[in-house]
Amino acid sequence: EIPDSMDLQDDMLLKNLDPRCVRSLNGCRVTDEILRLVPNIENFRLTLRAIKLWAKRHGIYSNALGYLGGVSWAMLVARTCQLYPNAAAATLVHKFFLVFSQWKWPQPILLKQPFNVNLGFPVWDPRVNVTDRYHLMPIITPAYPQQNSTYNVSQSTRSVMVEEFKAGLVLTDKIMLGTRTWDKLFERPLFFLKYKHFIVLLVYSGSTEDHLEWCGLVESKVRLLIVTLERNQHINLAHINPESFSQLEAQREPNVHCTLWFIGLEFTKTENLNIDLTHDIQQFTETVIRHAMNIKMLKEGMKLEARHVRRRELHQYIAPSFLKRERKVSITSKEGSNKRSADDVSDTPVPKRLRVSEEFEDNSNTSSFSCNDDSNS
């Protein structure tokens, strides 16, 4: 129990503490330190609200899935405030996109120079720790022991975020010139019109309580699948959408809960592409099932399935009204900019063959494979 009067800034409070207590305390310590390091707290808070809303609307707010969580967004905004100490919140939003659309990752984001109090807790330091050198988008917490808050970021999630930063700069340039309004910044991107191929993860369980726990475990492991897919020489990008969907009523079995996640795939521009992702999917599902068994969480009815889905088949998984809304927005944008919609143009070729579907039963270590797609459309 910590009284409100206690100042947590003193690093010596951590002396002889259990590492879990240190991590717990650092939630408060990092937040307090960020507020001490920004020149204007009110401008910082207003800017952060806008950036967090933008990040959530654009599907890049999720630490578990390899994007940025709340504290990471707060540190990026705080760094912008330090670089432009006298700017108003609207200007800070614009400068945020200016700075991070051009940032030379993996150069780290530091709100202050790190220091080591030598209490024995590990700190982020690529000069000492070899593994720290491989972090793709390091954003370092300002309180001791300093940690990288973006450990989960992968090549794909970083690419998605950098593209969003660049698009945000283009739009805020126009907003500052008065040719666009602020509401445009918070419009959702057209995820399902951007890709022609998807992997859909279907997570099943038998009760509401089990489903919440099972979905949490699967979600925490999805980034492992993304990293595995990135290693495939034929895949340029594996874009996980943080928004989950419920199974359509028409396909739902009685007393079965089902949640869906979608991964958009961008392939290399190679003719006669022949890709078999069965092993990648098997490796992922085996890992999740094994972990669930090890922590004794796996229960009857819990099941994980992955399928390859083309864009034209999405209506089997997502409400047609949702897809029509995306298409309508795309057509409106096309009419406004006189450009073809994502439905009319394909930046990547259609693989000649793609097998990615597989299923693991909760009471079996065997897998069943389905989905041979030999059509070329």
Side-chain angles (χ1 to χ4, degrees):
E1 192 172 308
I2 301 172
D4 292 337
S5 58
M6 181 180 287
D7 182 11
L8 298 179
Q9 187 177 7
D10 184 5
D11 294 324
M12 298 313 294
L13 289 172
L14 306 181
K15 190 174 182 180
N16 299 325
L17 278 188
D18 182 280
R20 288 173 297 177
C21 291
V22 173
R23 286 196 296 270
S24 180
L25 272 177
N26 259 23
C28 297
R29 282 164 50 82
V30 167
T31 303
D32 292 345
E33 195 67 24
I34 289 172
L35 291 175
R36 275 191 285 268
L37 291 169
V38 295
N40 185 307
I41 290 177
E42 286 308 309
N43 284 347
F44 163 74
R45 283 180 170 153
L46 185 55
T47 307
L48 181 57
R49 288 191 190 112
I51 293 300
K52 287 173 78 171
L53 176 60
W54 166 81
K56 289 175 181 178
R57 291 279 175 87
H58 284 251
I60 53 175
Y61 191 110
S62 174
N63 179 57
L65 291 175
Y67 298 107
L68 304 190
V71 70
S72 299
W73 290 115
M75 287 189 284
L76 290 188
V77 171
R79 187 71 189 109
T80 308
C81 292
Q82 289 179 334
L83 293 170
Y84 301 93
N86 299 316
T91 303
L92 286 169
V93 171
H94 179 226
K95 297 299 185 184
F96 173 91
F97 293 113
L98 176 66
V99 171
F100 297 113
S101 63
Q102 301 175 13
W103 195 267
K104 304 299 182 186
W105 304 107
Q107 180 180 329
I109 301 294
L110 298 168
L111 298 183
K112 68 177 187 181
Q113 284 303 310
F115 57 93
N116 198 334
V117 185
N118 295 318
L119 292 179
F121 300 110
V123 298
W124 186 86
D125 189 345
R127 297 168 301 179
V128 176
N129 307 315
V130 176
T131 55
D132 291 348
R133 300 172 194 172
Y134 298 101
H135 293 179
L136 299 174
M137 201 174 183
I139 302 174
I140 311 305
T141 56
Y144 174 84
Q146 298 84 356
Q147 301 294 315
N148 176 22
S149 65
T150 60
Y151 174 82
N152 291 341
V153 170
S154 69
Q155 292 283 1
S156 287
T157 53
R158 186 178 73 174
S159 296
V160 170
M161 287 187 282
V162 169
E163 285 305 308
E164 290 292 353
F165 290 148
K166 291 177 179 177
L169 176 61
V170 171
L171 186 53
T172 51
D173 277 343
K174 295 175 181 177
I175 291 171
M176 301 309 277
L177 291 172
T179 59
R180 288 287 188 276
T181 52
W182 280 105
D183 59 312
K184 293 292 182 184
L185 184 64
F186 306 107
E187 289 182 353
R188 299 179 187 276
L190 306 177
F191 176 81
F192 291 103
L193 288 181
K194 188 174 183 180
Y195 303 101
K196 299 195 76 170
H197 291 270
F198 300 86
I199 292 176
V200 55
L201 299 175
L202 300 95
V203 184
Y204 301 93
S205 55
S207 72
T208 304
E209 186 176 330
D210 287 351
H211 196 62
L212 187 65
E213 196 175 15
W214 184 222
C215 282
L217 178 66
V218 174
E219 186 177 17
S220 72
K221 300 294 183 183
V222 170
R223 63 186 179 87
L224 302 179
L225 175 59
I226 299 300
V227 172
T228 301
L229 293 171
E230 288 172 348
R231 295 195 187 109
N232 190 305
Q233 60 178 339
H234 300 300
I235 296 177
N236 282 337
L237 189 73
H239 182 177
I240 175 70
N241 185 353
E243 184 178 2
S244 61
F245 294 81
S246 297
Q247 191 175 34
L248 295 178
E249 196 71 38
Q251 299 192 12
R252 193 175 301 166
E253 297 179 29
N255 303 318
V256 173
H257 299 262
C258 181
T259 296
L260 291 73
W261 276 280
F262 291 85
I263 302 172
L265 298 177
E266 181 182 290
F267 296 103
T268 55
K269 297 182 178 180
T270 306
E271 293 185 7
N272 299 322
L273 206 55
N274 187 343
I275 305 175
D276 184 355
L277 298 178
T278 304
H279 176 71
D280 295 337
I281 299 298
Q282 181 177 359
Q283 189 180 43
F284 168 68
T285 49
E286 281 180 343
T287 298
V288 176
I289 295 294
R290 193 186 311 115
H291 184 73
M293 292 174 67
N294 288 341
I295 63 175
K296 295 179 170 53
M297 198 189 87
L298 202 62
K299 298 176 183 176
E300 185 178 354
M302 288 183 176
K303 194 169 62 172
L304 174 60
E305 186 180 342
R307 301 175 186 169
H308 164 233
V309 176
R310 293 172 180 272
R311 189 197 297 154
R312 65 168 181 266
E313 299 167 332
L314 287 172
H315 67 277
Q316 300 173 23
Y317 301 90
I318 301 174
S321 58
F322 182 90
L323 296 172
K324 284 180 181 177
R325 194 158 59 244
E326 274 212 357
R327 196 178 300 274
K328 184 178 179 181
V329 172
S330 176
I331 291 171
T332 303
S333 301
K334 180 180 71 173
E335 291 172 347
S337 61
N338 197 30
K339 291 180 180 178
R340 289 183 294 168
S341 72
D343 234 3
D344 302 322
V345 63
S346 172
D347 292 328
T348 57
V350 180
K352 198 172 183 181
R353 186 172 186 178
L354 180 63
R355 302 197 307 274
V356 297
S357 179
E358 111 177 30
E359 178 180 336
F360 266 78
E361 300 292 345
D362 60 291
N363 57 357
S364 171
N365 286 327
T366 61
S367 59
S368 60
F369 308 99
S370 60
C371 184
N372 278 316
D373 187 0
D374 293 316
S375 61
N376 193 7
S377 61

